[in-house]
Amino acid sequence: MTGFNVLGMRLRQAVCENWILDGVSVTSALEHLGEAVFDPELFSKHENAIVTAWNEANPAQRITLKKKRGLYGVFQFLNLQKA
Amino acid sequence: MNKLNILKTIRFAGILFFMISMFIFIFVVSYSSFYVTEDIIRESVTEEHHLAAILPMAEQVTGKTYDSKREIISDLTGIMEKADEGLSNDEKMWSYSQGVYRMNIMKKSVTGFLPGNEFLFLWQTIIAGCIAALMFILPGYWLRRPGIDNDGVYHRSVSNRGWIGITLGFMLVAFYIFIYWYPEYIVNWIILVDPISMAISGNPASQWFLYGVLYTLAILVMGVRMLIRYRHSNYHLVRTGSVMFFQLGFAFLLPEILVALNKPYYDFKDLWPLNYDFFYGWQIDQFLQSGSLGMFMLLSGIGLSLVGVPVLTYFYGKRWYCSWVCGCGGLAETLGDPFRHLSDKTLKAWKAERWIVHGVLVLVVVMTLATLINYFSGYQLLGNLTQQLQQWYGFFIGAAFAGVIGVGFYPWMGSRVWCRFGCPLAAYLGLVQRFKSRFRITTNGGQCISCGNCSTYCEMGIDVRWYAQRGQNIIRSSCVGCGICASVCPRGVLRLENGPEEGRFNEPAAFDLSEDKVKVNF
């Protein structure tokens, strides 16, 4: 992961930054996309559509969305990075 | 004519029709002529012994035409005061019943163009006014695209303390003064909404019913504006829908239906300490005399105030009440939306706010405790003191602050004057939100460009940008969670969130902005 073009979605900077620093793979970032989503509450969620599109385009590298959405997931992720 | 011009023409016609309706509305109330008969007095004075005391003096007011409201009010007050002198303390009308009787006598004795034409004038004023307002509001759906568009708010007279804004403010202040203290002078308006009241509860309308009708219509009509304006944001659609629902259902219809069923008038979501008379003796007596429903009202009121408020605020912040449920908040979020940027953002205003709003909270707690002590001691311990306290509180806080200043000053001090400086419930919710809650507005790293839109459109006068620039989360007791700061942000820096308490303050954050480092952190 080297950078982002989120096409109007809002992503959480701290999470994205850590992804770049850790050099995580695109597939791992997409699987954990829920942690980075910063769109306002009650807005429609796009993670599933994005993951589905990836799977259609890359049948060899199928991924599944890890359901760890929400602030708890973010906190867990960021604390993990610090440790 | 193309579509754009048609829409603009409809808008212009809307303004024109609205002005005409307002003009007729004011004309209706100014014109007055009264002719009292004995039958009217018999119909209006419902208590037998009150009627018996008044009737001997009825001749003083019957059989002549009054052309001025002042004269008929003073004559009616005169005979009722006289009648009260002859009654024992338990039988007296006191000022409350006097006011009700006087109002009902005057409503029935109006002569001239109004009797028989109530529906026509109701249509020509209130209903036509709403339709005209919608003619102005609805074309906005096609004229402006989804998304934030605040162009020109400081160039319009109405939203920049210009002459239209100031005039509007004066009219609102005048309206509140009439409603609270001189309802007889607007008796013609109350006559207009009589048919609506008769249809819902079977009772004749009072000034409070007129107030309820106009208040609810203001929230509904301006709520439609809000829905169109923020239609790109599900958060605002749901939130606005919620305040419209709670105002129409819980604040307006349900209490009237309860009255129609011979139950106490009660708004289930109007919580103590905002609803400051919840623990007044007469109110508790009324609950206790109304069977299991009354007991449910009493317990749900106490439960929501003492348990519901802290628990819900812990999970969602005070927004669950202030910008989703509350009537005052509902009006501020709909009718008040064009004025939200007028709130004072200075440090001085914040300091004043904290003293005043917590002062009111202390005041209402002291008053309520005194009232309860007096109630359970059978009015032995404090005697007349609690009544005095209640009268002062009702006059200065309940009427003058919440009503006259709270809404009348919209075009001058923004839409949340009452919520910010005066509301004791907001202060209570705020203390929970500040010290024990999962709510925060998260600042997204170093993305703030210091444009200041968030601070400008904060109706509570919070300098949101100060936090956003430092990369610090916004946790303020006054924040009502309307979510407008997050919506007007061109960079999407802010997000309203509920999450673990740990780390919610995100301190010390000044500065840690990263993407390769601006580290200061003192």
Side-chain angles (χ1 to χ4, degrees):
Chain A
M1 182 61 72
T2 53
F4 296 86
N5 183 349
V6 291
L7 303 171
M9 271 178 76
R10 298 176 180 181
L11 294 188
R12 203 176 290 272
Q13 185 179 335
V15 173
C16 294
E17 244 172 56
N18 276 320
W19 282 346
I20 294 173
L21 288 174
D22 296 354
V24 300
S25 64
V26 172
T27 48
S28 156
L30 283 175
E31 285 186 329
H32 293 96
L33 197 57
E35 283 165 24
V37 170
F38 200 70
D39 277 334
E41 293 162 309
L42 308 181
F43 272 51
S44 35
K45 302 176 166 75
H46 303 293
E47 299 101 285
N48 270 323
I50 291 170
V51 167
T52 310
W54 169 273
N55 283 341
E56 276 167 16
N58 305 282
Q61 287 177 284
R62 295 191 66 82
I63 52 172
T64 46
L65 194 62
K66 300 274 190 300
K67 290 280 175 191
K68 227 173 37 170
R69 202 193 159 87
L71 273 189
Y72 271 114
V74 173
F75 272 63
Q76 277 172 8
F77 172 76
L78 291 178
N79 285 340
L80 219 75
Q81 296 299 318
K82 274 178 202 159
Chain B
M1 246 186 348
N2 65 21
K3 193 178 158 192
L4 209 68
N5 283 336
I6 295 172
L7 290 169
K8 284 181 177 167
T9 312
I10 294 174
R11 281 205 126 172
F12 181 75
I15 301 181
L16 202 70
F17 291 157
F18 188 77
M19 296 303 289
I20 294 171
S21 317
M22 280 291 279
F23 183 79
I24 299 176
F25 195 51
I26 291 167
F27 170 78
V28 166
V29 83
S30 335
Y31 181 86
S32 51
S33 170
F34 300 88
Y35 188 85
V36 187
T37 65
E38 204 179 291
D39 284 343
I40 290 177
I41 297 178
R42 281 178 193 279
E43 283 170 34
S44 308
V45 181
T46 42
E47 292 283 335
E48 280 301 323
H49 60 276
H50 291 162
L51 185 63
I54 291 173
L55 272 184
M57 289 175 286
E59 283 172 2
Q60 293 175 31
V61 290
T62 56
K64 57 177 164 177
T65 303
Y66 284 96
D67 281 324
S68 110
K69 281 178 190 152
R70 268 238 317 269
E71 271 173 41
I72 183 171
I73 290 168
S74 87
D75 282 7
L76 285 173
T77 311
I79 64 169
M80 285 197 259
E81 289 284 347
K82 270 263 172 55
D84 251 2
E85 278 172 22
L87 293 168
S88 72
N89 266 3
D90 289 342
E91 291 179 324
K92 275 192 204 302
M93 292 177 265
W94 301 107
S95 56
Y96 177 77
S97 293
Q98 283 186 16
V100 174
Y101 295 154
R102 194 165 52 224
M103 175 67 76
N104 287 336
I105 292 173
M106 286 179 65
K107 270 163 68 178
K108 293 191 178 105
S109 59
V110 166
T111 59
F113 63 88
L114 195 53
N117 292 322
E118 291 93 343
F119 277 110
L120 177 70
F121 279 100
L122 176 66
W123 168 259
Q124 284 297 337
T125 55
I126 297 174
I127 299 174
C130 287
I131 294 172
L134 287 172
M135 283 170 69
F136 182 78
I137 289 165
L138 289 174
Y141 184 84
W142 295 277
L143 287 173
R144 54 197 298 167
R145 285 181 294 175
I148 297 294
D149 169 11
N150 278 317
D151 290 357
V153 288
Y154 281 108
H155 294 283
R156 282 185 216 116
S157 180
V158 65
S159 59
N160 190 29
R161 305 185 181 118
W163 69 271
I164 297 178
I166 298 294
T167 310
L168 187 66
F170 268 111
M171 285 167 76
L172 286 168
V173 167
F175 176 74
Y176 271 91
I177 290 175
F178 279 121
I179 284 279
Y180 281 118
W181 296 297
Y182 303 101
E184 291 91 353
Y185 285 87
I186 50 170
V187 62
N188 291 11
W189 284 348
I190 300 166
I191 292 171
L192 292 183
V193 296
D194 239 3
I196 307 177
S197 181
M198 293 303 280
I200 301 175
S201 71
N203 290 322
S206 65
Q207 71 268 36
W208 306 115
F209 186 80
L210 169 73
Y211 180 49
V213 168
L214 295 179
Y215 197 102
T216 307
L217 286 173
I219 288 187
L220 293 181
V221 170
M222 289 299 278
V224 171
R225 171 187 174 277
M226 206 56 193
L227 293 174
I228 291 174
R229 194 177 164 81
Y230 295 96
R231 65 186 182 278
H232 64 290
S233 165
N234 265 348
Y235 184 76
H236 295 305
L237 292 180
V238 178
R239 185 174 68 91
T240 308
S242 173
V243 292
M244 289 163 76
F245 165 76
F246 276 104
Q247 176 61 32
L248 180 64
F250 279 73
F252 182 67
L253 289 177
L254 191 57
E256 296 292 338
I257 292 169
L258 287 170
V259 170
L261 301 173
N262 250 330
K263 303 292 181 203
Y265 180 100
Y266 185 60
D267 176 356
F268 282 91
K269 59 156 187 62
D270 192 11
L271 307 179
W272 182 88
L274 173 59
N275 180 11
Y276 55 89
D277 52 17
F278 183 79
F279 289 107
Y280 283 7
W282 59 266
Q283 180 73 274
I284 296 178
D285 287 336
Q286 198 182 31
F287 287 143
L288 295 179
Q289 287 156 13
S290 305
S292 52
L293 183 68
M295 192 50 84
F296 174 69
M297 289 170 175
L298 184 64
L299 293 179
S300 85
I302 296 173
L304 278 172
S305 290
L306 300 184
V307 183
V309 163
V311 169
L312 284 167
T313 309
Y314 172 73
F315 284 107
Y316 303 110
K318 79 194 238 189
R319 55 184 171 151
W320 78 268
Y321 191 78
C322 292
S323 61
W324 285 71
V325 172
C326 178
C328 309
L331 194 70
E333 294 295 339
T334 52
L335 181 70
D337 183 65
F339 310 107
R340 57 168 58 248
H341 54 284
L342 297 174
S343 60
D344 192 338
K345 313 303 193 294
T346 59
L347 189 60
K348 216 165 95 185
W350 183 15
K351 284 179 176 166
E353 163 198 323
R354 295 198 294 178
W355 277 106
I356 300 169
V357 78
H358 295 114
V360 174
L361 178 61
V362 170
L363 207 65
V364 78
V365 169
V366 169
M367 181 190 76
T368 304
L369 285 178
T371 304
L372 283 174
I373 290 168
N374 217 14
Y375 179 77
F376 286 111
S377 71
Y379 300 95
Q380 299 300 310
L381 215 59
L382 297 165
N384 207 19
L385 177 73
T386 51
Q387 208 190 337
Q388 292 281 319
L389 267 173
Q390 291 171 2
Q391 272 173 6
W392 284 105
Y393 189 90
F395 179 85
F396 283 107
I397 309 292
F401 202 161
V404 179
I405 296 175
V407 178
F409 282 25
Y410 270 16
W412 185 40
M413 291 173 70
S415 52
R416 288 275 190 175
V417 183
W418 161 248
C419 312
R420 182 184 176 193
F421 292 100
C423 178
L425 180 55
Y428 168 31
L429 287 153
L431 287 172
V432 181
Q433 168 159 290
R434 170 66 179 72
F435 293 109
K436 192 71 189 167
S437 168
R438 291 155 48 91
F439 173 72
R440 85 291 309 272
I441 302 177
T442 303
T443 296
N444 198 10
Q447 303 192 23
C448 175
I449 55 167
S450 302
C451 71
N453 279 354
C454 47
S455 294
T456 302
Y457 294 102
C458 178
E459 54 190 349
M460 296 304 279
I462 299 170
D463 189 0
V464 187
R465 182 175 63 174
W466 185 87
Y467 297 85
Q469 285 172 325
R470 307 160 52 93
Q472 188 177 317
N473 291 351
I474 296 109
I475 296 178
R476 278 276 289 271
S477 61
S478 63
C479 174
V480 291
C482 67
I484 296 290
C485 56
S487 296
V488 296
C489 177
R491 299 270 292 145
V493 175
L494 305 165
R495 184 175 193 261
L496 280 63
E497 293 184 313
N498 312 310
E501 272 185 86
E502 183 205 344
R504 74 193 268 258
F505 284 89
N506 188 25
E507 281 179 323
F511 301 91
D512 204 12
L513 301 181
S514 240
E515 208 174 324
D516 279 305
K517 292 299 167 214
V518 180
K519 207 173 165 76
V520 178
N521 285 345
F522 25 88

